[in-house]
């Protein structure tokens, strides 16, 4: 068994943070300390280690664990997402004080599982990493004191997750029976058609069900709006972003098995089209902001899969680029959502009225994130969609590009509704709305700046993502 500690520095750094939170939770289970103040600093250290390890390359554990351009890019993005989450969550309104350390520990373990998922190059390794990430979320979703909807959300998430797990395991067994191996590198280039090898094809579809559940792509999307609505605001911010990064990393790695003219690729493109349309149409009629973001997340899962359907290095690069950008756009939007209601309740559109006067910085961050989620220039969301649509246009999916463009037009209505309420609607309440932490202000401003910078200068990140995708294709 080959092992090189230098190849797993990001995972070790995050595991140390999770272990420290574990020690803190068992040492002072009834602590009245409102926050783990050292967590943002520790998260910055994890991000620094992840950026330092961007160039690391190698294989471990007989090729089941691969450290390559794709894994290191997503580990850095996951570390950045965990850092932003750590700025949200120490005050986690709605979580009992004696449960906050456990809450933060589970979030850290979930992010750690996603890092493992980014490097998994064998189906069972991939499955185990996915479960490590999921089990932690099963524990934190219901943690919302005094709210029955949180328990309902937890039950739904566990039930749908258990179903996806069972399907993925069935798929794994079918693939193993059909091809005799679970290594993705060995599965690439084998027969994945219904006519040639139906057992393998059914197995791959079932295994993908587990991944598409994480992505909340149609028809595995039912849980997302209900879970986001029922769980705490900060928990929803985590569940709506980081697990999708992990799912995108897995889909990009599994792209080695797919070609643009395969039946399963067409099926994924069809799911993407329905997901975009269903998500956007449903989001149009929502009043709860978190529920709206849940449906918009379903639509964005469809946009992501466009890159997978293209089946080229540029398509996979566009998918990776958009996954990272989606983390920033959605986190920035949730940053505002988490601060709108100090009592931890779900905000609605009316809560945004007069935001530009009560909290100008917060309104600006909301405007930038809403424009980016629509896909308007000069934001990173525009460049991400441009890369995705360009990659799909010349590879037999012009119809999918047209569906995506029509859906972008649909999304303008409800995303710009955020801007309209914040900047033009009057509010009877003129009390200034302030972030209680200067670090939160820095995080919100940094996310908005990053969205604009990546919109103006996307070349570096996109080139890195394309290079990672090129190394995966046979």
């Amino acid at each position: 068994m080959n092992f090189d500690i230098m190849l797993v520095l990001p995972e070790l750094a995050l595991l140390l943070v999770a272990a420290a939170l574990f020690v803190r939770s068992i040492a002072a289970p009834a602590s009245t300390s409102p926050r783990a103040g050292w967590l943002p600093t520790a998260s910055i250290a994890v991000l620094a280690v992840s950026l330092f390890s961007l160039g690391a390359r190698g294989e471990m554990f007989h090729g089941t664990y691969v450290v390559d351009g794709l894994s290191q890019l997503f580990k850095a993005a996951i570390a950045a997402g965990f850092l932003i989450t750590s700025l949200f969550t120490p005050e986690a309104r709605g979580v009992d004080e004696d449960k906050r350390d456990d809450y933060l520990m589970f979030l850290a373990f979930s992010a750690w599982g996603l890092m493992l998922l980014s490097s998994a190059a064998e189906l069972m390794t991939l499955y185990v990493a996915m479960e490590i990430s999921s089990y932690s979320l099963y524990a934190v979703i219901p943690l919302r004191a005094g709210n029955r909807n949180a328990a309902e959300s937890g039950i739904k998430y566990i039930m749908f997750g258990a179903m996806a797990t069972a399907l993925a395991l069935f798929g794994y067994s079918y693939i193993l029976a059909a091809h005799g191996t679970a290594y993705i590198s060995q599965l690439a280039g084998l027969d994945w058609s219904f006519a040639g090898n139906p057992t393998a094809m059914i197995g791959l579809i079932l295994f993908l069900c587990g991944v598409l559940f994480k992505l909340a792509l149609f028809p595995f999307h039912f849980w997302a709006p209900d879970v986001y609505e029922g769980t705490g605001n900060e928990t929803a911010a985590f569940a709506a972003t980081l697990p999708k990064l992990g799912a995108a990393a897995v889909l990009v790695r599994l792209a080695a098995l797919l070609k643009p003219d395969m039946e399963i690729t067409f099926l994924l493109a069809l799911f993407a089209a329905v997901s975009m349309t269903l998500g956007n149409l449903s989001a149009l009629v929502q009043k709860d902001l978190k529920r709206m973001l849940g449906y918009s997340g379903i639509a964005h899962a469809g946009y992501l899969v466009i890159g997978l359907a293209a089946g080229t290095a540029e398509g996979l690069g566009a998918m990776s680029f958009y996954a990272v950008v989606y983390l920033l756009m959605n986190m920035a939007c949730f940053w505002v959502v988490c601060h709108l209601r100090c009592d931890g309740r779900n905000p609605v559109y009316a809560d945004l009225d007069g935001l530009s006067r009560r909290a100008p910085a917060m309104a600006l961050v909301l405007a930038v994130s809403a424009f980016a989620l629509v896909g308007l220039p000069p934001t990173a969301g525009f460049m991400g969609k441009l890369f995705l649509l360009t990659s799909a246009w010349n590879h037999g999916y012009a119809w999918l590009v047209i569906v995506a463009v029509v859906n972008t037009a649909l999304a303008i209505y409800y995303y710009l509704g955020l801007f309209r309420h914040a900047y033009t609607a009057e509010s009877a309440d003129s009390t200034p709305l302030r972030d209680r932490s200067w670090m939160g202000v820095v995080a919100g401003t940094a996310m908005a700046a990053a969205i604009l910078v990546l919109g103006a200068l996307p070349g570096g990140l996109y080139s890195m993502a394309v290079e990672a995708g090129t190394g995966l294709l046979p």
Side-chain angles (χ1 to χ4, degrees):
M1 181 178 72
N2 52 330
F3 177 76
D4 184 349
I5 194 170
M6 295 303 292
L7 295 180
V8 291
L9 288 180
E11 293 93 319
L12 284 178
L14 188 52
L15 184 61
L16 283 175
V17 172
L21 288 167
F22 173 69
V23 171
R24 182 181 157 98
S25 70
I26 60 174
S31 171
T32 56
S33 176
R35 54 185 297 165
W38 54 271
L39 185 58
T41 306
S43 302
I44 291 172
V46 174
L47 176 59
V49 171
S50 301
L51 293 174
F52 172 76
S53 302
L54 272 176
R57 301 289 185 270
E59 289 185 1
M60 292 187 295
F61 309 118
H62 305 290
T64 59
Y65 200 82
V66 174
V67 177
D68 56 10
L70 176 73
S71 67
Q72 301 312 92
L73 172 64
F74 275 90
K75 283 174 194 173
I78 290 165
F82 183 71
L83 168 61
I84 298 168
T85 305
S86 71
L87 297 173
F88 281 10
T89 49
E91 293 185 359
R93 292 176 280 272
V95 177
D96 292 333
E97 286 189 2
D98 61 340
K99 294 186 176 66
R100 279 186 182 161
D101 290 333
D102 305 285
Y103 173 79
L104 295 171
M105 177 192 71
F106 280 122
L107 291 184
F109 272 119
S110 181
W112 183 66
L114 293 172
M115 281 195 175
L116 300 181
L117 192 62
S118 303
S119 279
E122 188 265 342
L123 297 185
M124 183 48 71
T125 309
L126 193 153
Y127 170 80
V128 171
M130 196 158 56
E131 292 308 298
I132 289 173
S133 172
S134 297
Y135 285 152
S136 303
L137 275 184
Y138 293 156
V140 299
I141 292 289
L143 288 181
R144 194 180 192 187
N147 192 314
R148 292 184 178 179
N149 289 337
E152 181 186 336
S153 298
I155 292 170
K156 284 181 179 175
Y157 194 64
I158 291 170
M159 295 300 290
F160 279 110
M163 184 183 70
T165 296
L167 291 174
L169 272 181
F170 267 122
Y172 171 79
S173 64
Y174 277 44
I175 292 171
L176 204 57
H179 286 312
T181 181
Y183 284 85
I184 295 173
S185 59
Q186 295 176 11
L187 291 170
L190 298 180
D191 191 354
W192 294 101
S193 65
F194 272 118
N197 198 332
T199 305
M201 187 65 180
I202 292 171
L204 182 57
I205 291 174
L206 291 175
F207 192 83
L208 283 175
C209 289
V211 182
L212 299 182
F213 166 78
K214 288 285 177 196
L215 198 60
L217 183 80
F218 172 88
F220 310 99
H221 64 286
F222 294 103
W223 60 273
D226 291 345
V227 170
Y228 296 174
E229 181 185 17
T231 193
N233 296 343
E234 294 82 359
T235 312
F238 184 95
T241 50
L242 267 73
K244 291 194 175 186
L245 268 181
V250 172
L251 288 175
V252 172
R253 196 170 291 284
L254 289 176
L257 313 184
L258 307 176
K259 293 177 182 174
D261 57 348
M262 290 172 61
E263 297 107 324
I264 192 167
T265 311
F266 177 77
L267 187 64
L268 286 171
L270 196 62
F271 284 170
V274 177
S275 196
M276 285 185 280
T277 308
L278 179 70
N280 281 320
L281 288 177
S282 302
L284 285 174
V285 297
Q286 303 303 319
K287 297 189 183 301
D288 186 306
L289 293 183
K290 284 164 58 185
R291 198 168 178 82
M292 180 275 288
L293 288 172
Y295 279 110
S296 83
I298 295 168
H300 280 279
Y303 295 129
L304 275 172
V305 173
I306 292 175
L308 188 65
T312 61
E314 289 74 19
L316 299 182
M319 185 176 179
S320 301
F321 179 88
Y322 198 74
V324 174
V325 167
Y326 180 72
L327 169 78
L328 291 171
M329 299 186 296
N330 224 24
M331 275 290 191
C333 207
F334 266 106
W335 177 71
V336 177
V337 167
C338 290
H339 290 89
L340 279 178
R341 295 298 299 258
C342 296
D343 55 5
R345 294 185 179 180
N346 291 356
V348 295
Y349 277 97
D351 291 318
L352 292 170
D353 291 350
L355 187 66
S356 62
R357 289 176 289 282
R358 298 172 61 201
M362 210 176 283
L364 182 61
V365 172
L366 180 69
V368 171
S369 60
F371 288 169
L373 284 165
V374 173
L376 296 178
T379 65
F382 170 76
M383 295 309 303
K385 282 187 178 173
L386 182 64
F387 291 146
L388 284 169
L389 301 185
T390 303
S391 68
W393 182 256
N394 292 323
H395 293 86
Y397 287 102
W399 65 271
L400 187 58
V401 174
I402 294 170
V403 172
V405 171
V406 171
N407 272 283
T408 299
L410 282 176
I412 288 175
Y413 178 81
Y414 63 86
Y415 280 131
L416 293 192
L418 300 173
F419 180 82
R420 180 172 62 83
H421 277 273
Y423 279 89
T424 64
E426 297 293 336
S427 172
D429 185 5
S430 59
T431 308
L433 193 62
R434 298 183 188 283
D435 192 319
R436 284 184 287 275
S437 164
W438 65 269
M439 290 186 294
V441 176
V442 171
T445 307
M447 283 186 283
I451 290 168
L452 293 173
V453 169
L454 284 174
L457 303 168
L461 178 59
Y462 180 64
S463 299
M464 194 184 301
V466 171
E467 184 183 346
T470 304
L472 295 173
L473 294 176

